[in-house]
Structure formats: C-alpha cells, structure tokens
Amino acid sequence: MEVSICENYIRYYFWKERAIMQIMANRMDRGFQLYQNEYESKLLEVLRSGWYVLGKEVSSFEQEFADYLGVKHCVGLASGLDALWIAFRILGIGVGDEVIVQANTYIASVMGITINGAMPVFVEPDVFFNLDTAHLEEKITNRTKAILVVHLYGQASNMESVMKIAKKYHLKVVEDCAQSHGAVFGNKKTGTFGDIGCFSFYPSKNLGGFGDGGAIVTNNVDIAEEVRIFRNYGSEKKYYNKVVGANSRLDEIQAAFLRVKLKHLEELQEERKTICERYLKELENKQIILPQILKGASHVWHQFVIMCKERGKLIEYLNSKQIGTAIHYPIPPHMSEAYQYLGIQKGSLPVTEMYADRVLSIPLYNGMRKEEQDYVIESLNLFSN
Ligand SMILES: *Cc1c(COP(=O)(O)O)cnc(C)c1O
C-alpha cells in the first residue's frame, strides 16, 4: 500500500515537471552541481590557508592554463575588460591610434580600446559572426596600430587571413577570447596567434569562475613581465613602484575554482558540443537560420545563436512555452549611448545592424537535461507566425 502511494507521488511530480517545464537561457547552478564537492572542498582549503591574494592557486592556475593553451605565459587579472585595456596599454596604443575591431562584438571589446584613448574602427562580420577578413584591409590607415579579433560565440576566427594582413602592415594583433576558451583554428588554440590573448572567467563563460576574473596570455616574456607588474600597482617589489599601474589581480579563491573547472574543461566542452550537434541536426524550421562553422575552425559553443526575421514573435512564442532566450547583442557598440561621440550613423554598418535585429541565443548550459533539449527542439520546430 505504502509503495503504491509513493509511486503515485513520483508520477504526479514528473507529470507536473513536464507540464511546467521551465527552461532558462542559461543556468550556472547546474554547472556548479556537476562538481559541487570539488568546488566546496577547494573553497575550504583556500579559506583555511590564510593566503587570499596572489598565492599558489593563482600561480598554479597560470601555469596550467598556459599549458592547456600551448602558450608560454599567462597572467591572471581581475576581469576580461581589464585584460583588454591592459593589453593595449602595454602595447603602447592610445591617443591618435586606431584599432580595427568587428562591429558586432560585446561592448567590452571596444571599451578595451577606448579606455586608452584610441579609436575603434569597425569592420562588418562575416556569415560566421566573426570579423570579415575580406573587408579588413580597406579599414587600414596610417594610424592603424592593431587588430582586435573577437572569437565570437565560441568560434575561432580565420586567423590565417588576420595574421597575413597584420604581418603585411606591421600591425599588432590582440585576441579577445572571452568566449572562446579552447577553440582552435588550424592546429592552434585561440589566444596564441597574436601578440596578446585576452580571457574572461566571468561565471557564464565556458571557463567561468564564481565571480569576476580574467587573464592575459602571450609568448612574449617582456609583455608577460610588464603585465605582471602592472596588475599590482606597477610594483615588482613591494612599495617600489616602477609605473602607474592598476589593481587587477585574480584572487586565490577564483583561481582555485578555475583550476577545478579547467581539469574538467574537456568534458564540459564535449557536453556543449553534443547538445549543439543535436540542435544542428534536429532543428528544422524554415524561419530559423542555424549557425555555420568555418572550415579549419572549431567552435566551443559559448552560445548557440540562431537568426530569425520575426525574432520578436519567436521570443514571445518561446516565452509562452516557458523557454528563455537571450540576445547577444541587441545594440551594437556604435549605436549605444556610450559611443555616440564617435558620430557613427545608424545604417553605416548594415550587416552588424541586421544581426542585432535577428540574432537569438537559445538555451545552452552544462548540465542541460536531455528532456530539456527535446523540449527546446520540439518547440522551435513547431514555431510558425
Ligand atoms: C565577457 C566578455 C568580455 C568582458 O569580460 P569581463 O570579465 O566581463 O570583463 C569581453 N569581451 C567579450 C567578447 C566578452 O564576451
């Protein structure tokens, strides 16, 4: 008798969960739950160590992340934005200089340039949502000092073309890898092609901590040393300050969490890949355009970004099914209030503006259950307006 009551309860609960299945665009709690015990014991270990800033967790993480990428040096910082602006500062790029960047990026990429007083010069994206290298050369002037390549949504950009053009015009190359941890072009990981690679470990990133964090990677020992000094008030030796620096240190607790996650990064990436391969194979709706992958590039699926002309209706429909979505990004940097001073008119970057009106990121996160994936696929395939 008791057994059957229990069974009924379970059935009811499952039915209820199915009926009200609510799926968020992203869920970071699921990622935490995957290795909960390891994160919790690491946290206690650091708390009990009595050492909280620039200690062995940070230096071990720097070494492990550099090894993972196949690059000589990694310097942990406080955020991805810090990595970007410090990169341009160290390269000596500022007032009077121009930096070419793709126009459909997250605004932090552009802030990394303008914080230093340099001018961003926007280039349109290609069909892969990355910098269109066919339009790169026409943007180069005698003020151009660098190209900032953003490997958007997790897909590596065409680094062969970028490096060829950079070499021809003697330009620096900075890579914004905030969304592309581990993505490969040819046989090298993103962040290892240019002069400096910039990473973010914000919680939602593929390699994300439980707070803010970032890093600069480079094969150049002098750059690595300068960044190491810069992040700590410009001092190598305590109270001996060489330059006016910043306080941009990755802290021990975040570094410790990131070491745990880095150990599992391959399996986490595999899980995202499996989900996205299902999406690519099973999503079938004439009103939805699926993402494409460049030959020679790999995609680590930070986001699964579809396009839809009737995006507003699609969002409304998915909301009615309790499925969350996100837009990356609704306002391109050149049209945001912050960059009105650049004086770039609406309509001057038509591909970027069209993407901003049509892109939609559908639910994707580590720990996403099969029935959640089924429900997203089923619902998207049934959409019509
Ligand atoms: C997240 C992100 C950044 C900024 O990283 P923070 O750690 O949030 O400062 C920069 N560029 C891109 C492309 C990003 O996605």
Coordinates of all heavy atoms in Angstrom, one line a residue, residues 89-155:
R89 N 47.3 49.0 -23.3 CA 48.2 49.9 -22.6 C 49.6 49.5 -22.7 O 50.5 50.2 -23.0 CB 47.7 50.0 -21.1 CG 48.5 50.9 -20.2 CD 48.3 52.4 -20.6 NE 46.9 52.8 -20.4 CZ 46.3 53.3 -19.3 NH1 47.1 53.5 -18.3 NH2 45.1 53.6 -19.3
I90 N 49.8 48.2 -22.5 CA 51.2 47.6 -22.5 C 51.8 47.7 -23.9 O 53.0 47.9 -24.1 CB 51.2 46.1 -22.0 CG1 50.7 46.0 -20.6 CG2 52.5 45.4 -22.2 CD1 51.6 46.7 -19.5
L91 N 50.9 47.6 -24.9 CA 51.4 47.7 -26.3 C 51.6 49.1 -26.7 O 52.1 49.4 -27.9 CB 50.4 47.0 -27.3 CG 50.3 45.5 -27.2 CD1 49.2 44.9 -28.1 CD2 51.6 44.8 -27.5
G92 N 51.3 50.0 -25.8 CA 51.6 51.5 -26.1 C 50.6 52.1 -27.1 O 50.9 53.0 -27.9
I93 N 49.4 51.5 -27.2 CA 48.4 52.0 -28.1 C 47.4 53.0 -27.4 O 46.7 52.5 -26.4 CB 47.6 50.8 -28.8 CG1 48.7 50.1 -29.7 CG2 46.4 51.3 -29.6 CD1 48.2 48.8 -30.2
G94 N 47.3 54.2 -27.8 CA 46.5 55.2 -27.2 C 46.0 56.3 -28.1 O 45.7 56.1 -29.2
V95 N 46.0 57.5 -27.5 CA 45.5 58.7 -28.3 C 46.2 58.8 -29.6 O 47.4 58.7 -29.7 CB 45.7 60.0 -27.4 CG1 45.3 61.2 -28.2 CG2 45.0 59.9 -26.1
G96 N 45.3 59.0 -30.7 CA 45.9 59.2 -32.0 C 46.0 57.9 -32.8 O 46.3 57.9 -34.0
D97 N 45.8 56.8 -32.1 CA 45.9 55.4 -32.8 C 44.6 54.9 -33.1 O 43.6 55.2 -32.4 CB 46.7 54.5 -31.8 CG 48.1 54.9 -31.5 OD1 48.7 55.6 -32.4 OD2 48.6 54.6 -30.4
E98 N 44.5 54.0 -34.1 CA 43.3 53.3 -34.5 C 43.5 51.8 -34.3 O 44.5 51.3 -34.5 CB 43.0 53.6 -35.9 CG 42.5 55.0 -36.2 CD 42.2 55.3 -37.6 OE1 42.4 54.5 -38.5 OE2 41.9 56.5 -37.9
V99 N 42.4 51.2 -33.8 CA 42.4 49.7 -33.7 C 41.1 49.2 -34.4 O 40.0 49.7 -34.2 CB 42.3 49.3 -32.2 CG1 42.2 47.8 -32.1 CG2 43.5 49.8 -31.4
I100 N 41.4 48.2 -35.3 CA 40.3 47.7 -36.1 C 39.6 46.5 -35.3 O 40.3 45.7 -34.7 CB 40.8 47.1 -37.4 CG1 41.3 48.3 -38.2 CG2 39.6 46.4 -38.2 CD1 42.0 47.9 -39.5
V101 N 38.3 46.6 -35.2 CA 37.6 45.5 -34.4 C 36.3 45.3 -35.1 O 35.7 46.1 -35.8 CB 37.3 46.0 -32.9 CG1 36.5 47.3 -32.9 CG2 36.7 45.0 -32.1
Q102 N 35.7 44.0 -34.9 CA 34.4 43.7 -35.6 C 33.3 44.5 -34.8 O 33.3 44.6 -33.6 CB 34.2 42.2 -35.6 CG 33.9 41.6 -34.3 CD 34.2 40.1 -34.4 OE1 35.3 39.7 -34.5 NE2 33.1 39.3 -34.3
A103 N 32.3 44.9 -35.6 CA 31.3 45.8 -35.1 C 30.2 45.1 -34.3 O 29.5 45.8 -33.5 CB 30.7 46.6 -36.2
N104 N 30.1 43.8 -34.4 CA 29.0 43.1 -33.7 C 29.5 42.5 -32.4 O 28.9 41.5 -31.9 CB 28.5 42.0 -34.6 CG 29.5 40.9 -34.9 OD1 30.7 41.2 -35.0 ND2 29.0 39.7 -35.1
T105 N 30.6 43.0 -31.8 CA 31.1 42.3 -30.6 C 30.4 42.9 -29.4 O 29.6 43.8 -29.4 CB 32.6 42.6 -30.5 OG1 33.1 41.9 -29.3 CG2 32.9 44.1 -30.3
Y106 N 30.7 42.2 -28.2 CA 30.3 42.8 -26.9 C 31.0 44.1 -26.7 O 32.2 44.2 -27.0 CB 30.5 41.7 -25.8 CG 30.1 42.2 -24.5 CD1 28.8 42.7 -24.3 CD2 31.0 42.2 -23.4 CE1 28.4 43.1 -23.0 CE2 30.6 42.6 -22.1 CZ 29.3 43.1 -22.0 OH 28.9 43.5 -20.7
I107 N 30.3 45.0 -26.1 CA 30.9 46.4 -26.0 C 32.2 46.4 -25.2 O 33.0 47.3 -25.4 CB 29.8 47.3 -25.4 CG1 30.1 48.8 -25.7 CG2 29.6 47.1 -23.9 CD1 29.0 49.7 -25.6
A108 N 32.5 45.4 -24.3 CA 33.7 45.4 -23.6 C 34.9 45.4 -24.5 O 36.0 46.0 -24.2 CB 33.8 44.2 -22.6
S109 N 34.8 44.8 -25.6 CA 36.0 44.7 -26.6 C 36.3 46.2 -27.0 O 37.5 46.5 -27.0 CB 35.6 44.0 -27.9 OG 34.9 42.8 -27.6
V110 N 35.3 47.0 -27.3 CA 35.5 48.3 -27.7 C 36.0 49.2 -26.6 O 36.9 50.1 -26.7 CB 34.2 48.9 -28.3 CG1 34.4 50.3 -28.9 CG2 33.6 47.9 -29.3
M111 N 35.5 49.0 -25.4 CA 36.0 49.7 -24.2 C 37.4 49.5 -23.9 O 38.2 50.4 -23.5 CB 35.1 49.4 -23.0 CG 33.7 50.0 -23.1 SD 32.8 49.7 -21.5 CE 31.2 50.5 -22.0
G112 N 37.9 48.3 -24.2 CA 39.3 48.0 -24.0 C 40.2 48.9 -24.9 O 41.3 49.2 -24.5
I113 N 39.7 49.3 -26.0 CA 40.4 50.2 -26.9 C 40.2 51.7 -26.5 O 41.2 52.4 -26.3 CB 39.8 50.1 -28.4 CG1 40.0 48.7 -28.9 CG2 40.4 51.1 -29.3 CD1 39.2 48.3 -30.1
T114 N 39.0 52.1 -26.2 CA 38.7 53.5 -25.9 C 39.2 54.0 -24.6 O 39.4 55.2 -24.4 CB 37.2 53.8 -26.2 OG1 36.4 53.1 -25.3 CG2 36.8 53.6 -27.6
I115 N 39.3 53.1 -23.6 CA 39.8 53.5 -22.3 C 41.2 54.1 -22.4 O 41.5 55.0 -21.6 CB 39.8 52.2 -21.3 CG1 38.4 51.9 -20.9 CG2 40.7 52.5 -20.1 CD1 38.2 50.6 -20.1
N116 N 41.9 53.6 -23.4 CA 43.3 54.1 -23.6 C 43.3 55.3 -24.5 O 44.4 55.8 -24.9 CB 44.1 53.0 -24.2 CG 44.4 51.9 -23.3 OD1 45.0 52.1 -22.3 ND2 43.8 50.7 -23.6
G117 N 42.1 55.8 -24.9 CA 42.1 57.0 -25.8 C 42.2 56.7 -27.3 O 42.2 57.6 -28.1
A118 N 42.4 55.4 -27.6 CA 42.5 55.0 -29.0 C 41.1 55.0 -29.7 O 40.1 55.0 -29.0 CB 43.2 53.7 -29.2
M119 N 41.1 55.0 -31.0 CA 39.8 55.0 -31.8 C 39.5 53.6 -32.3 O 40.4 53.0 -33.0 CB 39.9 55.9 -33.0 CG 39.9 57.4 -32.7 SD 38.2 57.8 -32.1 CE 37.4 58.0 -33.7
P120 N 38.3 53.1 -32.0 CA 37.9 51.8 -32.7 C 37.5 52.1 -34.1 O 36.8 53.1 -34.4 CB 36.7 51.4 -31.8 CG 36.1 52.7 -31.3 CD 37.2 53.7 -31.2
V121 N 37.9 51.3 -35.0 CA 37.4 51.3 -36.4 C 36.7 50.0 -36.7 O 37.3 48.9 -36.6 CB 38.6 51.5 -37.4 CG1 38.2 51.4 -38.8 CG2 39.3 52.8 -37.1
F122 N 35.4 50.2 -37.0 CA 34.6 49.0 -37.1 C 34.6 48.3 -38.4 O 34.5 49.0 -39.4 CB 33.2 49.3 -36.7 CG 33.0 49.7 -35.2 CD1 32.7 51.0 -34.9 CD2 33.3 48.8 -34.2 CE1 32.6 51.4 -33.6 CE2 33.2 49.2 -32.9 CZ 32.8 50.5 -32.6
V123 N 34.7 47.0 -38.4 CA 34.6 46.2 -39.7 C 33.4 45.3 -39.5 O 33.1 44.8 -38.4 CB 35.9 45.5 -40.0 CG1 36.4 44.6 -38.9 CG2 35.8 44.7 -41.3
E124 N 32.7 45.0 -40.6 CA 31.5 44.1 -40.5 C 31.9 42.7 -40.3 O 32.9 42.2 -40.7 CB 30.8 44.2 -41.9 CG 30.2 45.6 -42.2 CD 28.7 45.7 -41.7 OE1 28.4 45.3 -40.6 OE2 27.9 46.3 -42.5
P125 N 31.0 41.9 -39.7 CA 31.2 40.5 -39.5 C 30.8 39.7 -40.8 O 30.1 40.1 -41.6 CB 30.2 40.1 -38.4 CG 29.1 41.1 -38.5 CD 29.7 42.4 -39.1
D126 N 31.4 38.4 -40.8 CA 31.1 37.5 -41.9 C 29.9 36.6 -41.5 O 29.2 36.9 -40.5 CB 32.3 36.7 -42.3 CG 32.8 35.9 -41.1 OD1 32.1 35.7 -40.1 OD2 34.0 35.4 -41.1
V127 N 29.6 35.6 -42.3 CA 28.4 34.8 -42.0 C 28.6 33.9 -40.8 O 27.7 33.3 -40.3 CB 28.0 33.8 -43.2 CG1 27.6 34.6 -44.4 CG2 29.2 32.9 -43.5
F128 N 29.9 33.8 -40.3 CA 30.1 33.1 -39.1 C 30.1 34.0 -37.8 O 30.4 33.5 -36.7 CB 31.5 32.4 -39.2 CG 31.7 31.7 -40.5 CD1 32.4 32.2 -41.5 CD2 31.1 30.4 -40.7 CE1 32.6 31.6 -42.7 CE2 31.3 29.7 -41.9 CZ 32.0 30.3 -42.9
F129 N 29.7 35.2 -38.0 CA 29.6 36.2 -36.9 C 30.9 36.7 -36.5 O 31.0 37.4 -35.5 CB 28.8 35.7 -35.7 CG 27.4 35.2 -36.0 CD1 27.0 33.9 -35.8 CD2 26.4 36.2 -36.4 CE1 25.7 33.5 -36.0 CE2 25.1 35.8 -36.7 CZ 24.7 34.4 -36.5
N130 N 32.0 36.3 -37.2 CA 33.3 36.8 -36.9 C 33.8 37.9 -37.9 O 33.1 38.1 -38.9 CB 34.3 35.7 -36.8 CG 34.3 35.0 -35.4 OD1 34.0 35.6 -34.4 ND2 34.5 33.7 -35.4
L131 N 34.9 38.5 -37.5 CA 35.4 39.6 -38.3 C 35.6 39.1 -39.8 O 36.2 38.1 -40.1 CB 36.8 40.0 -37.8 CG 37.6 41.2 -38.3 CD1 38.4 41.8 -37.2 CD2 38.4 40.8 -39.5
D132 N 35.0 39.9 -40.7 CA 35.1 39.6 -42.1 C 36.4 40.0 -42.7 O 36.6 41.2 -43.0 CB 33.9 40.3 -42.9 CG 33.8 39.7 -44.3 OD1 34.7 39.1 -44.8 OD2 32.7 40.0 -44.9
T133 N 37.3 39.1 -42.9 CA 38.7 39.4 -43.3 C 38.8 40.0 -44.7 O 39.7 40.7 -45.0 CB 39.6 38.2 -43.1 OG1 39.1 37.1 -43.8 CG2 39.8 37.8 -41.7
A134 N 37.7 39.8 -45.5 CA 37.7 40.3 -46.8 C 37.6 41.9 -46.8 O 37.9 42.5 -47.7 CB 36.5 39.7 -47.6
H135 N 37.1 42.4 -45.7 CA 36.9 43.9 -45.5 C 37.9 44.5 -44.6 O 37.7 45.6 -44.1 CB 35.5 44.2 -45.1 CG 34.5 43.9 -46.2 ND1 34.4 44.6 -47.4 CD2 33.6 42.9 -46.3 CE1 33.5 44.1 -48.2 NE2 33.0 43.0 -47.6
L136 N 38.9 43.7 -44.2 CA 39.9 44.2 -43.2 C 40.8 45.2 -43.8 O 41.0 46.3 -43.2 CB 40.6 43.0 -42.6 CG 41.6 43.1 -41.5 CD1 41.0 43.9 -40.3 CD2 42.0 41.8 -41.0
E137 N 41.4 44.9 -44.9 CA 42.5 45.7 -45.5 C 42.0 47.1 -45.8 O 42.7 48.1 -45.6 CB 43.0 45.1 -46.7 CG 44.5 44.6 -46.5 CD 45.0 43.8 -47.7 OE1 44.4 42.8 -48.1 OE2 46.1 44.2 -48.1
E138 N 40.7 47.3 -46.3 CA 40.2 48.6 -46.6 C 40.1 49.5 -45.4 O 39.9 50.7 -45.6 CB 38.9 48.4 -47.4 CG 37.8 47.9 -46.5 CD 36.6 47.3 -47.3 OE1 36.9 46.5 -48.2 OE2 35.5 47.6 -47.1
K139 N 40.1 49.0 -44.2 CA 40.0 49.8 -43.0 C 41.3 50.3 -42.5 O 41.4 51.1 -41.5 CB 39.3 49.0 -41.9 CG 37.9 48.5 -42.2 CD 36.9 49.6 -42.2 CE 35.5 49.1 -42.6 NZ 34.6 50.2 -42.6
I140 N 42.4 49.8 -43.1 CA 43.7 50.2 -42.6 C 44.1 51.6 -43.0 O 44.0 51.9 -44.2 CB 44.8 49.1 -43.0 CG1 44.4 47.8 -42.3 CG2 46.2 49.6 -42.6 CD1 45.3 46.6 -42.8
T141 N 44.6 52.4 -42.1 CA 45.1 53.8 -42.4 C 46.5 53.9 -41.9 O 47.0 53.0 -41.2 CB 44.2 54.9 -41.8 OG1 44.4 54.9 -40.4 CG2 42.7 54.7 -42.1
N142 N 47.1 55.1 -42.0 CA 48.4 55.2 -41.4 C 48.4 55.4 -39.9 O 49.4 55.4 -39.3 CB 49.2 56.3 -42.1 CG 48.5 57.6 -42.1 OD1 47.5 57.8 -41.5 ND2 49.0 58.6 -42.9
R143 N 47.2 55.5 -39.3 CA 47.1 55.5 -37.9 C 46.8 54.1 -37.3 O 46.8 54.0 -36.0 CB 45.9 56.4 -37.5 CG 46.1 57.8 -37.8 CD 44.8 58.6 -37.5 NE 44.9 59.9 -37.8 CZ 44.5 61.0 -37.1 NH1 44.0 60.8 -35.9 NH2 44.7 62.2 -37.5
T144 N 46.5 53.1 -38.1 CA 46.1 51.8 -37.6 C 47.4 51.2 -36.9 O 48.4 51.1 -37.4 CB 45.7 50.9 -38.7 OG1 44.7 51.6 -39.5 CG2 45.1 49.6 -38.2
K145 N 47.1 50.8 -35.6 CA 48.2 50.1 -34.9 C 48.0 48.7 -34.6 O 48.9 47.9 -34.4 CB 48.4 50.9 -33.5 CG 49.0 52.3 -33.7 CD 50.5 52.2 -33.9 CE 51.0 53.4 -34.7 NZ 50.6 54.7 -34.3
A146 N 46.7 48.3 -34.5 CA 46.4 46.9 -34.1 C 45.0 46.4 -34.7 O 44.2 47.2 -35.1 CB 46.4 46.8 -32.6
I147 N 44.9 45.1 -34.7 CA 43.6 44.5 -35.0 C 43.2 43.7 -33.7 O 44.0 43.0 -33.1 CB 43.7 43.4 -36.1 CG1 44.3 44.1 -37.4 CG2 42.4 42.8 -36.4 CD1 44.8 43.1 -38.4
L148 N 41.9 44.0 -33.3 CA 41.4 43.2 -32.2 C 40.4 42.2 -32.8 O 39.4 42.5 -33.3 CB 40.7 44.1 -31.2 CG 39.9 43.4 -30.0 CD1 40.8 42.6 -29.2 CD2 39.2 44.5 -29.1
V149 N 40.8 40.9 -32.6 CA 40.0 39.8 -33.2 C 39.1 39.2 -32.1 O 39.7 38.9 -31.0 CB 40.9 38.7 -33.8 CG1 40.0 37.7 -34.5 CG2 41.9 39.3 -34.7
V150 N 37.8 39.2 -32.3 CA 37.0 38.6 -31.2 C 36.5 37.3 -31.8 O 35.8 37.2 -32.8 CB 35.8 39.5 -30.9 CG1 35.0 39.0 -29.7 CG2 36.2 41.0 -30.7
H151 N 36.7 36.2 -31.1 CA 36.2 34.9 -31.5 C 34.8 34.7 -30.9 O 34.7 34.2 -29.8 CB 37.2 33.8 -31.0 CG 38.6 34.0 -31.4 ND1 39.1 33.9 -32.7 CD2 39.7 34.4 -30.7 CE1 40.3 34.2 -32.8 NE2 40.8 34.5 -31.6
L152 N 33.9 35.3 -31.6 CA 32.5 35.5 -31.0 C 31.8 34.2 -30.9 O 31.8 33.3 -31.8 CB 31.8 36.5 -31.8 CG 30.7 37.2 -31.1 CD1 31.2 38.1 -30.0 CD2 29.8 38.1 -32.0
Y153 N 31.0 34.1 -29.8 CA 30.1 32.9 -29.5 C 30.8 31.6 -29.3 O 30.2 30.6 -29.2 CB 29.0 32.8 -30.6 CG 28.2 34.0 -30.9 CD1 27.8 34.2 -32.2 CD2 27.9 34.9 -30.0 CE1 27.1 35.4 -32.6 CE2 27.1 36.1 -30.3 CZ 26.7 36.3 -31.6 OH 26.0 37.4 -31.9
G154 N 32.2 31.6 -29.4 CA 32.9 30.4 -29.2 C 33.6 29.9 -30.4 O 34.3 28.9 -30.4
Q155 N 33.4 30.5 -31.6 CA 34.0 30.0 -32.8 C 35.3 30.8 -33.1 O 35.3 32.0 -33.1 CB 33.1 30.2 -34.0 CG 33.7 29.7 -35.3 CD 32.8 29.5 -36.4 OE1 33.1 28.7 -37.3 NE2 31.6 30.1 -36.4

